[in-house]
Amino acid sequence: MLTPRKHPRQQRSRETVAAILEAAAQLFQRHGYTATTTNKIAERAGVSIGSLYQYFPNKDALLVALAEHYLTQSAQQVAQVFARAGEHRLPLSALLADLVECVAALHTDRPRLHRLLFDQAPRTPDLVTRFRQAEQQIAQALARELRRVGAGGPDPELNALLAVQGIEAHLHGALLDVPAGHDTTGHVRAVVRLWQHALSAPCDPSTPCGRTAR
């Protein structure tokens, strides 16, 4: 069973679930999946094991819930990047630097937990759907900014989606498995340069730039 047994409705219940998830995140980050038990998570959260099992039947259900929580938080932080870009009319170079640095920070905040969530957490249909929806929304926001600055090549929508997928993949590999002799700062800068070069081509003159094509 990979879904919560029940969803909290009252404030106290929501606080209990939040405490359980934070305790799980801390222990998974510190000790990994195998060494972390539901008993240890309950103890860390300051709740009984019975209270934990009211909401989560096992560790995998906790992993799925953490992945969903992480996805929601990530989407909110990336949305703030595009809000700033729209407000300040940022050029492409500044927008991409902000976006890549935001995604990099999401990877390096709790790297061991990040690897666990994205490499080992069970992929439920709902989680996969939510991930794809978030990916599409970010790509649409990037495409709008590309059109605003007159960039993105002949198909800004497609290139924005490729950029979103590519940035995630590049940072996931580079920041969690940094090659010897390299540092994370250099990788982040390299990803920014790569996608600035790829996306700086002018948009198709037959399609109005500065607004989404219909």
Side-chain angles (χ1 to χ4, degrees), residues 131-145:
F131 179 82
R132 295 305 177 199
Q133 288 174 341
E135 188 178 68
Q136 290 285 345
Q137 289 171 355
I138 295 170
Q140 289 167 7
L142 178 57
R144 286 194 295 269
E145 290 302 309

Side-chain angles (χ1 to χ4, degrees), residues 31-211:
H31 303 296
Y33 180 80
T34 302
T36 298
T37 66
T38 52
N39 281 312
K40 290 179 180 178
I41 292 170
E43 180 181 0
R44 180 77 173 181
V47 303
S48 68
I49 190 64
S51 294
L52 184 151
Y53 282 136
Q54 279 186 337
Y55 298 100
F56 303 104
N58 50 49
K59 284 197 298 183
D60 281 346
L62 275 164
L63 273 182
V64 171
L66 279 172
E68 291 174 345
H69 179 68
Y70 177 88
L71 180 59
T72 298
Q73 283 192 324
S74 299
Q76 291 172 348
Q77 292 185 39
V78 171
Q80 292 174 6
V81 169
F82 289 107
R84 288 193 298 269
E87 179 181 358
H88 299 291
R89 310 290 290 178
L90 295 181
L92 179 61
S93 58
L95 167 62
L96 287 175
D98 280 357
L99 177 61
V100 172
E101 288 171 5
C102 175
V103 177
L106 293 170
H107 281 73
T108 56
D109 179 39
R110 289 175 170 175
R112 193 174 184 183
L113 175 63
H114 184 93
R115 183 191 298 278
L116 180 62
L117 293 179
F118 283 81
D119 292 353
Q120 294 182 234
R123 293 292 189 264
T124 65
D126 182 61
L127 182 59
V128 171
T129 297
R130 290 181 60 185
F131 179 82
R132 295 305 177 199
Q133 288 174 341
E135 188 178 68
Q136 290 285 345
Q137 289 171 355
I138 295 170
Q140 289 167 7
L142 178 57
R144 286 194 295 269
E145 290 302 309
L146 290 175
R147 288 190 174 279
R148 177 180 64 80
V149 300
D155 192 339
E157 282 70 27
L158 174 59
N159 290 331
L161 178 60
L162 293 175
V164 170
Q165 294 172 338
I167 289 170
E168 166 64 27
H170 293 155
L171 292 177
H172 185 82
L175 298 183
L176 298 185
D177 293 299
V178 182
H182 295 77
D183 58 49
T184 58
T185 301
H187 278 291
V188 170
R189 290 174 179 170
V191 173
V192 173
R193 289 195 301 269
L194 174 67
W195 284 103
Q196 183 176 351
H197 177 74
L199 296 173
S200 60
C203 62
D204 188 344
S206 66
T207 301
C209 295
R211 63 181 178 86

